[in-house]
Amino acid sequence: MAESPRPKRKREEEEEAAGAEPHDGAAVPAFPLAELRLRRVLRESAREKAVFLHGEVPGEAVSPSGEGANAVVILEKTPFQEEKILDLLKKHTKLELQMRNDIYSTYHLYPPPELSEIKTTVVYPATEKHLQKYLRQEVHLIRETWEDYKSITLPFIQSQSFSIQWVYNILEKKAEADRIVHENPDPCDGFVLVPDLKWNQNQLDDLYLIALIHRREVKSLRDLTAEHLPLLRNVLQEGKEAIRKRFGVPASQLRIYLHYQPSYYHLHVHFTALGYDAPGSSVERAHLLADVIDNLAMDSTYYQKRALTFPLRADELLFKKFQEAGRV
Amino acid sequence: MAESPRPKRKREEEEEAAGAEPHDGAAVPAFPLAELRLRRVLRESAREKAVFLHGEVPGEAVSPSGEGANAVVILEKTPFQEEKILDLLKKHTKLELQMRNDIYSTYHLYPPPELSEIKTTVVYPATEKHLQKYLRQEVHLIRETWEDYKSITLPFIQSQSFSIQWVYNILEKKAEADRIVHENPDPCDGFVLVPDLKWNQNQLDDLYLIALIHRREVKSLRDLTAEHLPLLRNVLQEGKEAIRKRFGVPASQLRIYLHYQPSYYHLHVHFTALGYDAPGSSVERAHLLADVIDNLAMDSTYYQKRALTFPLRADELLFKKFQEAGRV
């Protein structure tokens, strides 16, 4: 939910900022995983079978108190591979009956090591910022009135110098030009459709594209009026058509929506595969483009009147602004 | 998404219908998993690390063509257990460096069998109905206008004899009376709040409650008008307050919404933990109660005018009705 839509880009920025040079993997010794001291579980996901750990590497004292150096270790069980399922059924080391009731039974199956890989990601040495990033944060819903928007959210957006140069680079064909799936070049009612960086385009299951509008002054849902209907209808119709042509996915299997709050304040529309439980597609953050169009057609100032709900992490600055205003 | 809100109840009904007596696990031999012939993968979830298989038990010929008996086998990797994480880090059988770049590195870790349990569920013998149940079905979005509702959906609802006796049993205290978390007994504007059967109440992470209204003639969102505002405001305010008192979860950490289409046509409201990615909380099916209230306050006939989007599985009868009407 709190995930960034451009994680790779963020990652690149972090590294650029640190002036880090990527090392060659060959010469570097493996991380001493077996010696790691487990400090705490930062976060876990029972549904996704993943856990985020804060560990300490002993012998690497970096503080006068003798503390070791911090590491973040992420363990994630891997999806089943179809070609290895038969092996799994035949080569299990143990099969324990747990429960049997009529035609239903459950077992504990213990596979050999080569069939139970765990993807392990290490961030080492990790700073306090890395630890914070992976620490489970409380999330709260905000119900933002139009007055809240004007007095809290808008000043916050304006005070931040969010860089959206990467959006302009795409619109101006200075970056990702070869990735453009469709463009309507009209400066007022046009847009560019590109695959989201989260989608590797290897399979359609998690199809994810983004439409970036050419106009530059529309920050979010809150700025939309009936004036933007031709633009929004172009995005909806041409976006569907382009995805059907390029990827063979019919419009009825696309979830097409905007986020509020968005991750960056240049209006964009998400296109994801309906069967894909995309992060940020929950009702508390997503707004179907078809509903947005109908709302604006009914009332041009719909989004300048209505209260809107959205989630914020307790460590986000905007959350603090709402707290200061006594609105949480 | 297509999951039933009362799976246990369904399961009980199935068994009752079959007149099945639960067997005692002790005397029954283990299912011959190693000999299973793999027919096909019915469905898989890369995100949840689960796979649903159609297998055939050889030697159990049940048809003249010599086919074996069918089985459904569900494999699901298990969540990490906090107390076993240290073992996992220390007792891995192999650790392979995959990639290293600056402070980031990734590894393949191969744990010993006792630390990589797979939960295995077997349905055997399985009927064609069981296979269909687990087979991945295409899901399509429907954009239902008010005219579609009157000419397709409403006649469909009326033609079905959906039994909602279990709802009446709760409202009349004939069942689950000890589970009631809160009740407003007003016959017009009152409701009963109960934990959903999916929630075992052992942890708050996946908190899930349902408010069932006392009035019996309100089928869904489509029937709501400004007349229902007092009822809906009671559900919102009293529901929040009761959950805060009983479970200590603040209102800002609750996702409160209706489904359209609902699973049963007696108006009910879902209360789920914000941090829990509950099935059916996506934008294409969920409607925030706070938004519903604002829409009705703005226009009493909002839900008798507006097009509404919802997903349907291709094998659902209502989907066929929309197809016949040329609306898909």
Side-chain angles (χ1 to χ4, degrees):
Chain A
M1 185 185 306
E3 209 177 299
S4 152
R6 313 281 289 188
K8 284 181 197 167
R9 196 171 300 273
K10 281 227 171 143
R11 165 80 181 280
E12 285 156 15
E13 279 166 10
E14 267 173 29
E15 279 161 11
E16 235 170 78
E21 286 289 311
H23 300 308
D24 178 17
V28 181
F31 179 76
L33 199 67
E35 281 106 69
L36 198 73
R37 276 191 218 136
L38 188 56
R39 293 284 300 274
R40 59 181 165 157
V41 175
L42 296 168
R43 178 152 60 101
E44 58 184 316
S45 168
R47 183 169 173 191
E48 293 166 15
K49 283 80 184 179
V51 66
F52 299 73
L53 308 170
H54 172 191
E56 200 183 280
V57 178
E60 295 279 336
V62 291
S63 79
S65 63
E67 274 176 25
N70 290 319
V72 171
V73 176
I74 305 166
L75 303 175
E76 184 176 4
K77 298 199 178 180
T78 50
F80 288 99
Q81 290 177 269
E82 200 164 335
E83 63 276 19
K84 290 189 179 166
I85 287 175
L86 256 186
D87 275 1
L88 205 58
L89 298 180
K90 291 190 193 315
K91 296 181 186 167
H92 52 82
T93 64
K94 199 166 62 165
L95 185 68
E96 277 176 10
L97 180 65
Q98 181 186 15
M99 180 290 290
R100 188 171 175 125
N101 182 346
D102 190 50
I103 61 170
Y104 304 96
S105 52
T106 60
Y107 300 84
H108 304 288
L109 183 154
Y110 298 91
E114 66 272 20
L115 294 176
S116 40
E117 184 196 326
I118 291 173
K119 184 184 171 195
T120 305
T121 306
V122 174
V123 184
Y124 174 75
T127 64
E128 190 54 37
K129 215 168 164 180
H130 290 110
L131 296 174
Q132 279 303 317
K133 176 179 169 184
Y134 293 107
L135 187 63
R136 176 194 289 278
Q137 282 285 341
E138 285 211 332
V139 177
H140 294 271
L141 286 186
I142 302 286
R143 185 97 180 144
E144 179 201 70
T145 63
W146 173 245
E147 288 65 39
D148 292 333
Y149 174 74
K150 281 187 302 183
S151 65
I152 305 170
T153 310
L154 184 59
F156 164 78
I157 297 169
Q158 287 165 340
S159 74
Q160 299 288 303
S161 54
F162 295 115
S163 170
I164 44 172
Q165 189 54 47
W166 66 268
V167 174
Y168 300 152
N169 288 345
I170 293 174
L171 296 176
E172 294 165 7
K173 321 287 154 58
K174 290 179 183 162
E176 302 187 40
D178 53 328
R179 289 164 43 88
I180 292 177
V181 170
H182 174 75
E183 177 174 18
N184 176 329
D186 190 282
C188 179
D189 298 330
F191 69 100
V192 162
L193 183 70
V194 287
D196 188 274
L197 283 187
K198 278 194 295 303
W199 184 38
N200 63 16
Q201 301 186 60
N202 288 341
Q203 61 288 316
L204 297 175
D205 302 355
D206 58 345
L207 173 138
Y208 203 140
L209 294 99
I210 294 281
L212 299 163
I213 67 168
H214 274 301
R215 293 176 67 159
R216 299 197 175 186
E217 80 293 359
V218 188
K219 291 184 289 304
S220 78
L221 201 55
R222 281 289 191 199
D223 286 335
L224 292 176
T225 65
E227 179 212 346
H228 304 98
L229 281 171
L231 164 64
L232 297 174
R233 287 179 175 137
N234 286 346
V235 170
L236 185 63
Q237 290 312 321
E238 296 176 25
K240 282 177 178 179
E241 186 59 18
I243 290 173
R244 192 188 59 74
K245 274 193 187 150
R246 173 72 71 93
F247 302 106
V249 176
S252 68
Q253 298 192 303
L254 293 176
R255 184 193 293 112
I256 307 171
Y257 55 102
L258 292 84
H259 278 160
Y260 190 75
Q261 300 286 334
S263 304
Y264 47 96
Y265 291 89
H266 175 106
L267 196 82
H268 56 285
V269 176
H270 303 255
F271 290 74
T272 60
L274 182 59
Y276 173 53
D277 229 347
S281 59
S282 292
V283 63
E284 69 270 19
R285 190 166 178 208
H287 297 257
L288 288 179
L289 179 55
D291 286 342
V292 171
I293 288 173
D294 284 0
N295 286 332
L296 292 173
M298 182 183 66
D299 179 352
S300 175
T301 60
Y302 186 93
Y303 291 102
Q304 288 90 50
K305 281 179 185 165
R306 289 297 302 273
L308 295 173
T309 291
F310 54 84
L312 285 179
R313 283 168 53 129
D315 63 340
E316 285 182 83
L317 189 53
L318 184 54
F319 183 78
K320 290 190 185 72
K321 297 286 176 195
F322 271 85
Q323 265 185 325
E324 284 164 18
R327 292 288 291 126
V328 195
Chain B
M1 186 185 308
E3 209 178 299
S4 153
R6 313 281 289 189
K8 284 182 198 165
R9 197 172 298 275
K10 279 225 172 146
R11 166 81 181 282
E12 284 156 16
E13 279 165 11
E14 265 172 31
E15 280 162 11
E16 234 171 76
E21 288 289 311
H23 301 305
D24 177 18
V28 181
F31 179 74
L33 199 68
E35 280 106 70
L36 197 73
R37 277 190 216 135
L38 188 57
R39 292 284 300 273
R40 58 183 165 156
V41 174
L42 295 168
R43 179 151 59 100
E44 58 184 317
S45 168
R47 182 169 174 193
E48 293 165 18
K49 285 75 181 182
V51 66
F52 299 73
L53 308 172
H54 172 191
E56 199 182 281
V57 178
E60 294 279 336
V62 290
S63 78
S65 63
E67 272 176 25
N70 289 319
V72 171
V73 176
I74 305 166
L75 303 175
E76 183 175 5
K77 298 199 177 179
T78 49
F80 288 99
Q81 290 178 267
E82 200 162 336
E83 63 275 19
K84 292 190 177 165
I85 287 174
L86 257 185
D87 275 1
L88 206 58
L89 298 179
K90 290 190 192 315
K91 297 182 186 167
H92 53 80
T93 64
K94 201 168 59 169
L95 186 68
E96 277 177 11
L97 179 66
Q98 181 186 15
M99 181 286 293
R100 188 170 174 124
N101 181 345
D102 190 48
I103 62 170
Y104 303 96
S105 52
T106 61
Y107 299 85
H108 304 288
L109 183 153
Y110 299 91
E114 66 272 20
L115 294 175
S116 39
E117 184 197 326
I118 291 172
K119 183 184 174 197
T120 305
T121 306
V122 174
V123 183
Y124 174 76
T127 64
E128 189 56 36
K129 215 167 164 180
H130 290 109
L131 297 174
Q132 279 304 317
K133 177 177 169 185
Y134 292 107
L135 186 63
R136 174 193 290 278
Q137 282 285 339
E138 287 210 330
V139 177
H140 294 272
L141 285 186
I142 302 286
R143 185 95 181 144
E144 179 200 69
T145 63
W146 174 244
E147 289 66 38
D148 292 333
Y149 174 73
K150 282 187 302 181
S151 65
I152 305 170
T153 310
L154 184 58
F156 164 79
I157 297 169
Q158 288 166 337
S159 74
Q160 300 287 303
S161 54
F162 294 116
S163 171
I164 45 174
Q165 188 55 48
W166 67 268
V167 174
Y168 300 151
N169 288 345
I170 294 174
L171 296 175
E172 294 164 9
K173 320 286 156 54
K174 291 181 183 161
E176 301 186 41
D178 53 327
R179 289 164 43 89
I180 292 177
V181 170
H182 175 75
E183 177 172 16
N184 176 327
D186 189 282
C188 179
D189 297 331
F191 68 100
V192 162
L193 183 69
V194 287
D196 189 274
L197 282 188
K198 279 195 294 301
W199 184 38
N200 64 15
Q201 300 186 60
N202 289 340
Q203 61 289 314
L204 296 175
D205 301 355
D206 57 345
L207 173 139
Y208 202 140
L209 295 100
I210 294 282
L212 299 163
I213 67 168
H214 273 304
R215 292 175 69 158
R216 300 198 174 184
E217 79 294 357
V218 188
K219 291 183 289 302
S220 78
L221 200 55
R222 281 292 189 196
D223 286 335
L224 293 175
T225 65
E227 179 211 347
H228 304 99
L229 282 170
L231 164 62
L232 298 174
R233 287 179 176 138
N234 286 347
V235 170
L236 185 63
Q237 290 313 321
E238 296 176 25
K240 282 176 177 179
E241 186 59 17
I243 290 173
R244 192 188 58 73
K245 274 193 188 151
R246 173 73 71 91
F247 302 107
V249 176
S252 69
Q253 299 193 303
L254 293 175
R255 184 193 292 112
I256 307 170
Y257 55 101
L258 292 85
H259 277 160
Y260 191 74
Q261 301 288 332
S263 304
Y264 47 96
Y265 292 90
H266 176 105
L267 195 83
H268 56 284
V269 175
H270 304 254
F271 290 74
T272 60
L274 183 59
Y276 172 53
D277 227 348
S281 59
S282 293
V283 63
E284 68 271 19
R285 191 164 178 210
H287 298 257
L288 289 179
L289 180 56
D291 286 342
V292 171
I293 289 172
D294 284 0
N295 285 331
L296 292 173
M298 181 184 67
D299 179 353
S300 174
T301 60
Y302 185 93
Y303 291 104
Q304 289 89 51
K305 281 179 184 166
R306 288 297 302 275
L308 295 173
T309 292
F310 54 84
L312 285 179
R313 284 168 53 128
D315 63 341
E316 284 183 84
L317 190 53
L318 184 55
F319 183 79
K320 290 189 184 73
K321 298 286 176 196
F322 272 86
Q323 265 184 325
E324 284 165 18
R327 292 289 291 124
V328 196

